[in-house]
């Protein structure tokens, strides 16, 4: 798209990025932050959102609590909002998803009652112990797991 002569975004990487990715103004600091891809937001939420929910990583209360003394907030990992897995997607400027919940977002976003811990994806009640092996808030809430580098070094 960017390197193909005659393409819509030929030699225009900024235009391509603005077309593909969603940036939101942080309600607290007013700076723009990356909040996922436009295609995700368009498929689910459209233009209906509460601006007060749009908080960048730096202003997030989770970031202050989970600031790694060695790596800062650069490698902060989050729990999937809908199950007990590590998140790999950040969508709508507000929501962390694991791969499976992201692929099945219509199920998890329309679920009237999310499963309790231990929770699997998509919206499946598991038995036994939590796969994350750390205390965390119930499904449906955002939660920072801590520094991914330090967490993985411990395992």
């Amino acid at each position: 798209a960017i390197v193909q002569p005659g393409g819509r975004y030929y030699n225009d990487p900024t235009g391509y990025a603005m077309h593909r990715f969603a940036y939101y103004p942080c309600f607290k600091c007013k700076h723009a932050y990356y909040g996922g891809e436009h295609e995700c937001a368009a498929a689910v939420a459209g233009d209906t959102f509460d601006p007060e929910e749009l908080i960048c990583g730096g202003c997030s209360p989770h970031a202050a609590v989970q600031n790694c003394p060695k790596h800062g907030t650069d490698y902060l990992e989050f729990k999937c909002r809908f199950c007990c897995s590590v998140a790999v997607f950040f969508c709508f400027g507000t929501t962390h998803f694991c791969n499976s919940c992201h692929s099945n977002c219509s199920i998890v976003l329309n679920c009237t009652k999310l499963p309790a811990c231990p929770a699997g994806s998509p919206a499946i009640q598991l038995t036994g112990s939590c796969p994350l092996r750390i205390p965390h808030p119930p499904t449906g809430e955002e939660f920072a797991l801590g520094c991914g580098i330090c967490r993985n070094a411990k395992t």
Side-chain angles (χ1 to χ4, degrees):
I2 299 169
V3 296
Q4 197 170 40
R8 180 175 178 188
Y9 297 103
Y10 180 64
N11 284 337
D12 183 14
T14 302
Y16 179 73
M18 295 307 289
H19 167 76
R20 180 150 184 208
F21 303 113
Y23 295 90
Y24 299 93
C26 175
F27 184 76
K28 291 186 176 183
C29 71
K30 308 301 183 218
H31 289 105
Y33 72 98
Y34 171 75
E37 294 193 15
H38 274 298
E39 121 183 349
C40 289
V44 179
D47 289 330
T48 58
F49 62 88
D50 179 358
E52 292 184 19
E53 292 180 355
L54 300 176
I55 307 295
C56 71
C59 292
S60 167
H62 307 292
V65 172
Q66 296 290 335
N67 189 17
C68 174
K70 189 173 182 180
H71 303 107
T73 57
D74 290 343
Y75 301 99
L76 188 60
E77 287 185 324
F78 281 80
K79 174 193 162 299
C80 175
R81 184 180 281 202
F82 305 99
C83 74
C84 298
S85 298
V86 176
V88 293
F89 289 96
F90 182 58
C91 299
F92 324 125
T94 60
T95 308
H96 288 89
F97 288 89
C98 69
N99 189 51
S100 180
C101 285
H102 186 263
S103 296
N104 295 287
C105 71
S106 61
I107 294 171
V108 297
L109 292 174
N110 293 309
C111 188
T112 55
K113 185 175 187 236
L114 293 169
C117 179
S121 175
I124 298 170
Q125 184 64 60
L126 301 176
T127 58
S129 60
C130 177
L132 290 172
R133 298 187 300 274
I134 63 166
H136 59 78
T139 52
E141 295 182 30
E142 288 288 308
F143 180 70
L145 296 170
C147 176
I149 291 177
C150 294
R151 216 167 62 80
N152 287 324
K154 292 176 188 174
T155 58

